[in-house]
Amino acid sequence: MRAETSSRAPLPPGVFLRAEGLVKKFGDFVAVNGVTFDVPRGKVFGFLGPNGSGKSTTIRMLAGLLNPTSGTARGFDGLDVTDTERWKSRLGYMSQKFSLYLDLTVEENLRFFGRVYGLAGPRLDERIRELSGTLRFERLKDTLTESLSTGMRQRVALAAALLHEPLLLFLDEPTGGVDPKGRRLFWELIYDLAAEKGMTVLVTTHYMDEAEQCDELAFILNGDLIAHGEPHALKRGISGRLLEVDLESAPFEALAAVRGAAPLEDAYLFGLRLRVLAREGRVDDALSLVSRLGTPAVAEPSLEDVFVDLARGYAERKAAAQPPTRMVTT
Amino acid sequence: MIEARGLEKRFGAHAALRGVDLRIAEGELFALIGPDGAGKTTFFRLVAGLLTPTAGTLRRAEGATFGLVPQRFSLYEDLTVDENLDLRARLYSVPSAEARARAAELLRRVGMAPFGARLAGALSGGMKQKLALVAALLTKPRLLLLDEPTTGVDPVSRREFWLVLNELHHEGLTIVVSTPYMDEAEYATRLGFLDEGKLLAVGTRDEVLAAFPRPILEVLSPDRNGVRRRLAGIDAVDDVSLFGTRLHLRGAAGTGTEILDSVRAGLTGLVPADGVRLVPPTLEDVFVLAGDEVET
Ligand SMILES: Nc1ncnc2c1ncn2[C@@H]1O[C@H](COP(=O)(O)OP(=O)(O)OP(=O)(O)O)[C@@H](O)[C@H]1O
Ligand SMILES: [Mg+2]
């Protein structure tokens, strides 16, 4: 039933994966509300949204691990997600929940996952050797997984997802709990996979500096896809002007002094920095308001600002019962 | 509130803490930062009395009630959100009317109000973490120990969570929190940088940053990869990271102005001179440098 509803024309060459009206209901609860988007070939695609917005559920449907209530996915140059075995053999998936066996060594874990993917013998040996080199954990092959740092465990989990040489990689919050240095290294690896191996990567993250590194982004909220585009295009779509003040101390007091003021759409802290979004046409008022706290400078909006802005628009449109999607094109 | 002297903890051959001296006063909001595996979780477990020191001493203020949110919080997955919170309130003898009102308020603030009747096992990853936070904040202990509480929590909810923490701090709670987010560490009254079981730096953010030994530069350019390739040929720069359209550079040694000149020279034709400037270091720089020095 699912397949007939999708259009059968081949995907454009630049598109590697297409989600077509994916819906997932758990009982009466709609976790994913008919999302449609394209993931470009060989790019790093970021999937962002608040907790519980439906990111993991969407990924599990795209990875062929969860049956959609309706809708489908197409990709890999001519496959449909309902062709489950072939579909799954071409993708790698790293779940949000840690999936390695803590009581096995790194190499034992990789051998186990290799066999799950049907690899064995010299081919498996070679893949393990290659990946422990590229992902830089060679010297730890005989270490118990339990004693690895979070960053290192995530690299081993990435290796496990790459053993069978997938063309598409789903990474669900791969850097949760990883320290700043480990996160940077992990992102260099993701980049290399896309740039050098031509792999298509779909990744979720709550770190906005990581989102910034993606070629394209989709935002999801309450199971609705609310925007899709390149980071700089999404930023251009923001209404109002962002101002930033460096504070010496007492950040929360500074925030309390301006929060809710009429010229401001939003006010929040980023460490000892106060950031405010001035409403359109109220920039001068906003400037004089925050100048009392320090010297304001005009700042580039972050993707967090974009998200907050989109979420506000979404709430307003929901109230006016209009269709929820706004596409940003470049 | 907490006093550690020569605190050591070994697990077999592995030394998780290797002589930590630290005093955290009543009413502080203290942040512990450091790479994973640095010993932060071990420190929390020692403070909570879940482990005993191998050597040295650890004292907690007499009779101080405390709450701990461990890194991996165990919820009853077969109970609903509300039932989990009720149970927690009863375990800590919080009067039920008070607990219910407080739970409702906290759930609302982190965007969980509609999900009281959902089984904890059916929550998303970040929602589970939020439930753990609400559970910890339900009881108002004198000392709150939070081990990476905001991992997996979305940015807007993180803002709200820190507003709540700040209120509790103002009410007089002592809070010790570890975090991989350097912006969160800046909210602390003092912070400690733990690495391989040792406290490498303790102080206010300004004190820690003042001790940073390297110059930091920022380059603005839409052609990040072009800049990156050029920089690879400049020995005076030993680390480059990307932040949107900005590149963040660390000087190998020497004075800031020398490095500024050589980077400007190295990027002529690609970036105008005013696109390269010296900037103050951040806590992330402290973090990354410590890691690099350990590795080599
Ligand atoms: N088995 C289930 N039964 C009922 N509800 C579920 C089930 N699995 C997920 N949900 C709900 O679906 C919604 C979306 O969950 P999902 O895990 O996709 O969120 P997410 O965007 O990945 O969030 P996070 O950022 O916290 O990981 C949540 O409200 C969650 O509670
Ligand atoms: Mg998720």
Side-chain angles (χ1 to χ4, degrees):
Chain A
M1 177 178 66
R2 235 176 277 135
E4 279 78 21
T5 58
S6 66
S7 89
R8 294 286 81 194
L11 299 179
V15 175
F16 197 63
L17 176 75
R18 173 173 288 174
E20 291 181 334
L22 284 177
V23 173
K24 184 69 200 180
K25 291 186 188 164
F26 295 106
D28 289 341
F29 179 74
V30 184
V32 178
N33 190 19
V35 302
T36 297
F37 60 89
D38 286 346
V39 179
R41 183 185 301 269
K43 295 280 159 86
V44 180
F45 185 91
F47 199 36
L48 310 185
N51 299 129
S53 54
K55 300 179 299 296
S56 298
T57 307
T58 304
I59 288 185
R60 283 162 60 214
M61 290 191 281
L62 290 174
L65 300 167
L66 183 71
N67 281 329
T69 306
S70 62
T72 189
R74 292 193 290 145
F76 303 101
D77 300 307
L79 288 189
D80 191 290
V81 69
T82 47
D83 190 355
T84 316
E85 287 319 308
R86 283 206 289 165
W87 181 273
K88 287 213 289 207
S89 70
R90 285 164 173 74
L91 65 87
Y93 167 72
M94 213 176 128
S95 90
Q96 182 171 357
K97 243 180 162 165
F98 184 68
S99 55
L100 301 174
Y101 293 95
L102 292 177
D103 53 348
L104 297 183
T105 66
V106 167
E107 175 151 3
E108 285 164 352
N109 260 301
L110 293 177
R111 293 206 167 279
F112 173 80
F113 283 99
R115 280 193 293 272
V116 170
Y117 289 122
L119 295 175
R123 180 86 199 100
L124 180 56
D125 295 343
E126 194 194 318
R127 282 303 287 156
I128 293 177
R129 197 165 39 240
E130 269 174 30
L131 286 166
S132 57
T134 357
L135 303 187
R136 299 181 227 171
F137 57 80
E138 218 145 30
R139 67 193 165 86
L140 296 170
K141 273 202 283 203
D142 298 323
T143 309
L144 270 189
T145 307
E146 186 176 29
S147 54
L148 299 180
S149 69
T150 317
M152 195 63 82
R153 286 180 189 183
Q154 293 304 76
R155 263 142 69 191
V156 177
L158 176 62
L162 289 170
L163 279 168
H164 60 303
E165 300 185 77
L167 304 167
L168 170 66
L169 192 56
F170 292 107
L171 304 173
D172 196 357
E173 269 187 63
T175 55
V178 177
D179 68 44
K181 193 169 150 65
R183 292 202 291 123
R184 272 175 53 174
L185 179 61
F186 199 93
W187 271 82
E188 279 170 26
L189 298 170
I190 294 179
Y191 245 21
D192 289 349
L193 288 171
E196 284 164 26
K197 306 250 161 34
M199 194 175 288
T200 302
V201 181
L202 190 153
V203 58
T204 69
T205 180
H206 291 299
Y207 291 95
M208 292 301 120
D209 55 348
E210 296 183 355
E212 201 78 56
Q213 305 300 318
C214 296
D215 298 304
E216 263 186 46
L217 296 170
F219 281 108
I220 184 170
L221 180 60
N222 288 335
D224 285 321
L225 194 85
I226 59 168
H228 176 192
E230 294 177 9
H232 66 272
L234 289 164
K235 286 181 185 177
R236 267 204 309 271
I238 209 169
S239 56
R241 182 69 65 88
L242 201 84
L243 304 172
E244 194 173 85
V245 182
D246 277 325
L247 306 165
E248 297 283 299
S249 58
F252 291 97
E253 284 74 1
L255 177 63
V258 300
R259 213 178 184 211
L264 307 183
E265 192 78 73
D266 191 21
Y268 64 96
L269 297 172
F270 184 77
L272 288 176
R273 236 173 236 177
L274 176 70
R275 289 166 67 91
V276 301
L277 185 64
R279 284 186 209 279
E280 267 177 316
R282 302 288 306 267
V283 178
D284 289 341
D285 295 337
L287 267 172
S288 63
L289 185 70
V290 295
S291 323
R292 286 182 279 150
L293 302 166
T295 315
V298 173
E300 193 193 356
S302 70
L303 289 165
E304 183 174 332
D305 299 311
V306 173
F307 180 76
V308 171
D309 192 53
L310 289 166
R312 188 165 30 239
Y314 170 87
E316 285 161 9
R317 278 193 307 276
K318 262 249 138 123
Q322 274 169 17
T325 310
R326 165 175 134 200
M327 289 297 182
V328 177
T329 41
T330 38
Chain B
M1 177 63 74
I2 298 170
E3 185 179 48
R5 282 204 195 156
L7 185 63
E8 280 183 33
K9 182 67 197 178
R10 274 190 297 277
F11 298 101
H14 175 69
L17 288 179
R18 302 188 295 163
V20 168
D21 294 296
L22 178 65
R23 283 178 63 118
I24 298 175
E26 172 115 43
E28 273 202 84
L29 198 178
F30 191 91
L32 260 188
I33 59 175
D36 24 85
K40 299 180 300 263
T41 298
T42 305
F43 181 77
F44 281 114
R45 291 197 184 138
L46 285 162
V47 176
L50 298 172
L51 294 173
T52 50
T54 311
T57 56
L58 185 108
R59 296 195 329 177
R60 201 173 60 227
E62 199 85 28
T65 51
F66 70 92
L68 168 71
V69 181
Q71 210 169 9
R72 275 179 199 75
F73 183 77
S74 48
L75 299 154
Y76 294 95
E77 303 229 326
D78 51 345
L79 296 185
T80 66
V81 168
D82 287 342
E83 287 165 352
N84 266 289
L85 292 173
D86 273 353
L87 185 67
R88 170 98 183 178
R90 267 184 283 142
L91 283 175
Y92 285 80
S93 331
V94 184
S96 69
E98 184 190 322
R100 221 157 272 154
R102 190 162 165 77
E105 157 73 2
L106 289 166
L107 288 173
R108 186 188 60 74
R109 292 189 68 165
V110 296
M112 290 267 290
F115 303 111
R118 183 163 299 174
L119 289 181
L123 297 175
S124 76
M127 290 161 89
K128 283 184 187 161
Q129 187 63 23
K130 288 176 176 175
L131 175 55
L133 292 176
V134 170
L137 300 180
L138 203 55
T139 62
K140 281 195 188 172
R142 269 175 62 201
L143 170 65
L144 196 53
L145 305 168
L146 303 165
D147 193 3
E148 301 201 352
T150 55
T151 294
V153 174
D154 66 69
V156 176
S157 303
R158 278 207 300 130
R159 296 181 189 174
E160 205 58 41
F161 171 69
W162 274 94
L163 288 174
V164 176
L165 268 198
N166 178 58
E167 283 164 23
L168 292 172
H169 178 222
H170 273 269
E171 287 170 20
L173 246 77
T174 307
I175 301 172
V176 186
V177 56
S178 70
T179 177
Y181 286 97
M182 295 303 111
D183 53 312
E184 293 184 353
E186 292 196 342
Y187 302 135
T189 46
R190 282 195 312 151
L191 53 97
F193 183 75
L194 195 64
D195 194 16
E196 304 217 312
K198 288 201 161 140
L199 260 181
L200 295 187
V202 186
T204 63
R205 161 191 173 267
D206 290 349
E207 287 163 357
V208 170
L209 292 180
F212 188 74
R214 304 286 196 85
I216 298 290
L217 304 180
E218 192 174 89
V219 177
L220 287 171
S221 168
D223 182 10
R224 300 182 309 182
N225 287 329
V227 172
R228 212 141 66 147
R229 275 192 296 276
R230 282 276 190 97
L231 289 172
I234 304 177
D235 287 341
V237 173
D238 75 347
D239 185 68
V240 178
S241 51
L242 304 174
F243 290 89
T245 53
R246 290 178 294 135
L247 289 98
H248 193 82
L249 280 49
R250 185 178 72 208
T255 68
T257 45
E258 277 169 20
I259 286 172
L260 188 62
D261 290 342
S262 53
V263 170
R264 279 182 174 157
L267 295 177
T268 27
L270 196 60
V271 182
D274 64 0
V276 184
R277 59 192 186 103
L278 277 168
V279 293
T282 63
L283 288 175
E284 183 148 340
D285 293 317
V286 174
F287 207 105
V288 172
L289 179 64
D292 288 351
E293 285 177 342
V294 167
E295 239 173 45
T296 48

